[in-house]
Amino acid sequence: MGSVQLVTTILAAAITALAVWLAVQAVLRIVAVVRLGQPDPGRFGDPVTRTRTMLAETAGHTRMLRWSVVGAAHWFVMVAFVVLSLLVLEAYFEVVSPTGGLPLIGGWTVYGLVTELIAIFGVVGIVVLIAIRIRNRPSRPGGRSRFTGSTMWQGYFVEAVVLAVLIMGFLIRGFKVATDHFEYPTWATPVSHAVGALLPNWEAGVSVAALIKIMISMTWLIVIALNVTMGVAWHRFLAFFNIFFKRDPGRAGSGLGALRPMTSNGKPLDFEEADPESDQFGVAQVEQFTWKGLLDFSTCTECGRCQSQCPAWNTGKPLSPKLLVLSLRDHAYAKAPYLLAGGGKDLTGEEKATAAQLAHVDVLALAEAEKPLIGGAEEGGVIDPDVLWSCTTCGACVEQCPVDIEHVDHIVDMRRYQVLIESSFPSEAGVMLRNLENKGNPWGAPQNTREDWTKGLDFEVPRVGEAEDFEYLFWVGCAGAFEDRAKKTTRAVATLLHEAGVSFAILGEGETCTGDPARRIGNEFVFQMLAQQNVETLNEAFDGREKSKRKIVATCPHCFNTLGNEYGQLGGEFEVVHHTQLLAHLVATGKLTPVQPVDGGVTYHDPCYLGRHNRVFAPPREVLGSAASEGITEMPRNSERSFCCGAGGARMWMEEKIGKRINVDRVEEAMSTGAKTIAVGCPFCSTMLNDGVNGKGAGEQVEVVDVASVLLRSVRPEQNRDGQQAEPVAG
């Protein structure tokens, strides 16, 4: 070993020892913070599916590749990071000797070829990612970026390190070529040989370059160890665990559909026995999130995909799912020393720690502990109320997150505490909640008018209890029973089912709101009250039937989602279909035959709770494709990336006071297609988009209509636009 090698070996060992020690401390700190969260026992079931899903999403990049260029570039960088870690390990042999290399595989030509190719594509990939970050920098002209609010120096630092490590790998190999110590042929390692042709015959160059490579790598490790909230780096390790522990690993829309039930100490809350002084009602302190929630916050990569898709952020509102998660992450880690010392408030607001326990806690951590989780700037709150109440629960953030953060669950958990304990929520929503409690519907309409939509139909609509047998229970929903535009859809669906010979029945006055708006605004108590009543009614209606024959068809995606995904939590197991699914089946089997195509062009708006939350994308398009003469003209944002109408998350009953109206943004996109008909599959979407069209003064040129009404006009052209038989014209 020469003098150069002696120095490089000592320096490499020293910086590695420091980096590893700091990294171990950082890992222990992250684990300690995550363990502060509440129990979440449901995260450990079905390890085989969890492992398979985790490997598919990481190795296969199944979610990242939805953004094709970014996804492909990131895949090559990820593979380079994992595989070329072997080259970092090899550098430890090279600092000792210029001819050093990995034992066993070090001289294998296949190894040389594979690592060369990965390094080449890794360089290309990281250059692409750097270019994308620069092109989308928040300071660029033209508005806000998906990187707005991200810690930009961290992203640039990580990308620069990756690029530097890859370049140093080629330099090491180049010096080996120049000194005739390289074991791989030119055909297998062309770039390394090309670099070597430019370098001098410097024997010590291999060891010096290897030391620089190690120092760059260890500097990266030291920096991230000193910054445990540096998600742009730590996600490389945490993402595997966060994806493994996702809520529904076998479901395409994990984290969507049903909300997590309200829990206390890891168990679903029973409102008949719950006590606010001993049971947790929602989330009031960051440590009241589950451990998976704290792992979510730690794993955020700050990539901004959620932010770029969020309807609130895109219309100038203060909510960014990314910034919300980052605020919770930074608060959790800043408060952690206080919590780890035994600090924290019990459910009555009393301090749990003694003065002795808190005596040595940093004053900044003590100050952080005093911040309310929800509060305005004057209160020093972590999350502003306008941020919390801007969410439509559309799920675009969850859909796009490459590391499976469950934003919607966390937002609703915070809402639950605000509503149930603090009684703090937008005042206009109070009317809706009182109507749900007193009238069983958000509009406050009399229960005895639930069947008024049947008037004027040319056939009898059977009721459960009166019909001898029925295949489907037609769940009309509150909008379908009381809201004028939605009643047209209800009549159209009933007419089409009758036309197709499908036996169905309704509950009529026995039906009440499913509780969706109450649950998503955070009032779990009202939701459970309504849900238990409905489950009891439905179980009685289906008495004696097995689940496969307990069929429900619903026109409202919110009812569809609640009945099918959430009532199982309360003992209601049903087979629920959306009306567009059933209609698509009836058209495909020839039971409904479109005879007159709808002209003027049709575009389709995917309702969030039908599409993103429940993966129903094809059936509405199949129905429209059969009924529209020119097929469907898709909006730029469609299917998984469809833009919200603005009504979800109980926003239907809250004023939109900040920024541009979400429905107007969506209507402008729909009108840009040139279609004369905007087809929807949700009564909330119908209301919001109709209001948007009228607000644009385009009511005479563009019509918003449900998929069922489009089909009915094609199947029975003699029907008028209300779904009723047209009166003959007098001669």
Side-chain angles (χ1 to χ4, degrees):
M1 179 187 295
S3 58
V4 172
Q5 284 71 40
L6 180 62
V7 172
T8 56
T9 300
I10 292 172
L11 291 175
I15 194 170
T16 300
L18 174 63
V20 170
W21 183 80
L22 289 174
V24 169
Q25 300 305 308
V27 169
L28 292 175
R29 185 180 174 195
I30 291 172
V31 171
V33 170
V34 170
R35 291 184 65 185
L36 289 169
Q38 300 302 303
D40 196 354
R43 302 287 179 171
F44 299 92
D46 198 357
V48 174
T49 299
R50 292 184 179 279
T51 302
R52 184 169 59 244
T53 301
M54 183 268 289
L55 292 175
E57 288 193 24
T58 52
H61 257 41
T62 51
R63 292 172 76 88
M64 284 292 295
L65 286 171
R66 293 174 183 174
W67 297 49
S68 53
V69 174
V70 176
H74 191 277
W75 186 84
F76 284 116
V77 171
M78 181 201 71
V79 171
F81 178 81
V82 174
V83 175
L84 299 186
S85 296
L86 290 172
L87 294 184
V88 176
L89 177 61
E90 188 173 38
Y92 285 94
F93 293 92
E94 292 161 341
V95 295
V96 175
S97 169
T99 61
L102 284 178
L104 301 178
I105 63 173
W108 191 25
T109 301
V110 173
Y111 169 74
L113 172 63
V114 170
T115 51
E116 182 90 354
L117 290 174
I118 290 174
I120 292 169
F121 285 112
V123 168
V124 173
I126 198 64
V127 168
V128 168
L129 294 181
I130 291 171
I132 290 171
R133 187 178 294 274
I134 293 173
R135 188 184 67 193
N136 291 282
R137 66 193 183 280
S139 60
R140 83 197 196 288
R144 294 187 288 185
S145 155
R146 68 183 176 95
F147 292 117
T148 298
S150 297
T151 314
M152 294 300 287
W153 76 262
Q154 294 180 352
Y156 289 129
F157 170 75
V158 168
E159 289 163 348
V161 165
V162 172
L163 182 59
V165 168
L166 291 170
I167 290 172
M168 292 311 301
F170 284 118
L171 282 174
I172 292 169
R173 287 186 164 188
F175 275 119
K176 284 189 173 183
V177 170
T179 55
D180 203 26
H181 295 317
F182 198 49
E183 56 267 69
Y184 305 115
T186 303
W187 67 265
T189 53
V191 175
S192 297
H193 278 271
V195 172
L198 302 174
L199 295 176
N201 183 359
W202 181 31
E203 192 81 15
V206 175
S207 297
V208 171
L211 173 63
I212 294 173
K213 181 175 184 176
I214 290 170
M215 293 185 73
I216 292 171
S217 300
M218 292 305 107
T219 298
W220 175 81
L221 192 56
I222 290 169
V223 170
I224 74 166
L226 295 174
N227 293 273
V228 290
T229 59
M230 193 171 173
V232 70
W234 280 106
H235 82 274
R236 297 182 180 198
F237 310 107
L238 299 179
F240 298 100
F241 300 98
N242 211 52
I243 295 170
F244 181 87
F245 290 117
K246 67 195 295 185
R247 177 143 62 89
D248 302 300
R251 188 177 186 272
S254 177
L256 297 171
L259 284 172
R260 288 181 66 255
M262 195 165 163
T263 61
S264 178
N265 198 32
K267 298 177 181 178
L269 201 64
D270 183 347
F271 278 95
E272 293 184 0
E273 301 177 0
D275 181 355
E277 294 190 2
S278 58
D279 290 302
Q280 180 180 318
F281 280 56
V283 168
Q285 303 288 336
V286 72
E287 64 272 20
Q288 292 177 350
F289 286 106
T290 67
W291 62 263
K292 175 57 169 62
L294 295 178
L295 180 59
D296 271 358
F297 308 153
S298 303
T299 308
C300 179
T301 73
E302 303 190 26
C303 67
R305 284 170 178 76
C306 59
Q307 183 170 287
S308 72
Q309 303 296 300
C310 176
W313 177 261
N314 276 285
T315 53
K317 296 166 183 63
L319 169 63
S320 156
K322 178 189 71 177
L323 298 180
L324 178 139
V325 166
L326 297 187
S327 296
L328 293 171
R329 178 198 69 188
D330 293 345
H331 173 60
Y333 280 88
K335 188 178 180 180
Y338 159 78
L339 296 171
L340 293 170
K345 302 290 195 301
D346 63 21
L347 294 173
T348 63
E350 296 296 319
E351 176 60 58
K352 294 186 288 186
T354 63
Q357 286 177 297
L358 301 180
H360 301 292
V361 175
D362 185 82
V363 292
L364 294 177
L366 293 174
E368 194 73 27
E370 294 303 314
K371 290 183 178 181
L373 190 65
I374 306 298
E378 65 282 358
E379 302 164 285
V382 178
I383 304 297
D384 190 276
D386 284 335
V387 169
L388 187 68
W389 297 110
S390 292
C391 180
T392 67
T393 68
C394 71
C397 48
V398 180
E399 174 73 34
Q400 291 299 329
C401 182
V403 293
D404 284 300
I405 293 171
E406 296 162 2
H407 314 72
V408 173
D409 283 339
H410 305 321
I411 288 171
V412 172
D413 272 340
M414 289 187 284
R415 285 182 171 186
R416 284 166 169 167
Y417 180 82
Q418 293 300 304
V419 172
L420 294 171
I421 302 300
E422 297 291 336
S423 295
S424 176
F425 52 89
S427 58
E428 60 269 23
V431 176
M432 176 269 291
L433 290 173
R434 287 192 295 273
N435 285 336
L436 287 177
E437 288 189 75
N438 300 326
K439 299 290 187 177
N441 69 84
W443 284 276
Q447 186 72 355
N448 61 10
T449 62
R450 270 196 180 267
E451 299 179 34
D452 284 1
W453 64 270
T454 62
K455 295 175 181 178
L457 294 175
D458 57 3
F459 59 92
E460 189 71 24
V461 177
R463 279 74 174 167
V464 171
E466 298 175 4
E468 292 185 7
D469 193 20
F470 57 90
E471 184 179 4
Y472 286 94
L473 189 151
F474 181 14
W475 185 272
V476 175
C478 299
F482 302 121
E483 205 273 325
D484 288 340
R485 281 173 292 220
K487 284 195 282 188
K488 297 176 185 178
T489 300
T490 307
R491 286 195 288 266
V493 171
T495 302
L496 289 166
L497 295 181
H498 178 73
E499 179 85 9
V502 176
S503 60
F504 69 96
I506 62 171
L507 288 171
E509 294 182 29
E511 187 182 295
T512 191
C513 181
T514 60
D516 165 86
R519 186 169 226 195
R520 276 149 186 82
I521 202 174
N523 198 324
E524 186 74 4
F525 176 78
V526 170
F527 164 73
Q528 291 205 19
M529 177 186 73
L530 295 168
Q532 287 168 355
Q533 179 181 336
N534 281 325
V535 167
E536 183 178 338
T537 300
L538 289 167
N539 283 339
E540 183 178 339
F542 288 122
D543 186 41
R545 298 194 191 190
E546 58 191 60
K547 181 182 177 181
S548 62
K549 294 183 180 179
R550 295 157 67 92
K551 298 179 181 179
I552 299 174
V553 57
T555 57
C556 174
H558 297 264
C559 296
F560 166 66
N561 178 69
T562 305
L563 292 166
N565 295 327
E566 297 186 336
Y567 275 17
Q569 299 170 2
L570 300 169
E573 297 290 340
F574 314 109
E575 290 289 336
V576 187
V577 298
H578 189 252
H579 71 283
T580 58
Q581 293 175 294
L582 181 54
L583 295 179
H585 170 73
L586 295 174
V587 170
T589 55
K591 294 182 179 179
L592 290 174
T593 304
V595 294
Q596 180 172 307
V598 176
D599 296 323
V602 176
T603 190
Y604 174 63
H605 164 78
D606 288 274
C608 300
Y609 273 82
L610 181 64
R612 211 163 16 242
H613 279 277
N614 285 284
R615 327 310 294 177
V616 179
F617 300 114
R621 289 174 167 81
E622 291 168 1
V623 173
L624 294 172
S626 69
S629 61
E630 302 169 20
I632 305 171
T633 304
E634 293 283 9
M635 287 184 251
R637 295 176 290 192
N638 64 78
S639 303
E640 291 92 343
R641 293 197 189 185
S642 179
F643 196 70
C644 182
C645 74
R651 289 292 323 175
M652 180 83 171
W653 291 274
M654 292 183 248
E655 289 297 324
E656 198 169 341
K657 301 174 182 176
I658 304 173
K660 183 179 181 181
R661 293 184 66 86
I662 294 172
N663 61 332
V664 171
D665 191 294
R666 185 55 164 171
V667 161
E668 289 173 351
E669 183 176 5
M671 291 174 62
S672 72
T673 66
K676 299 302 181 185
T677 300
I678 303 173
V680 297
C682 171
F684 290 1
C685 297
S686 177
T687 296
M688 299 300 285
L689 297 188
N690 261 300
D691 289 350
V693 167
N694 292 332
K696 299 291 290 184
E700 296 297 321
Q701 295 81 40
V702 179
E703 182 186 18
V704 179
V705 64
D706 192 88
V707 171
S709 295
V710 174
L711 179 62
L712 181 60
R713 293 175 191 176
S714 182
V715 171
R716 292 175 61 172
E718 73 278 6
Q719 296 291 128
N720 67 26
R721 290 194 168 195
D722 289 335
Q724 298 174 329
Q725 190 74 22
E727 294 292 334
V729 179

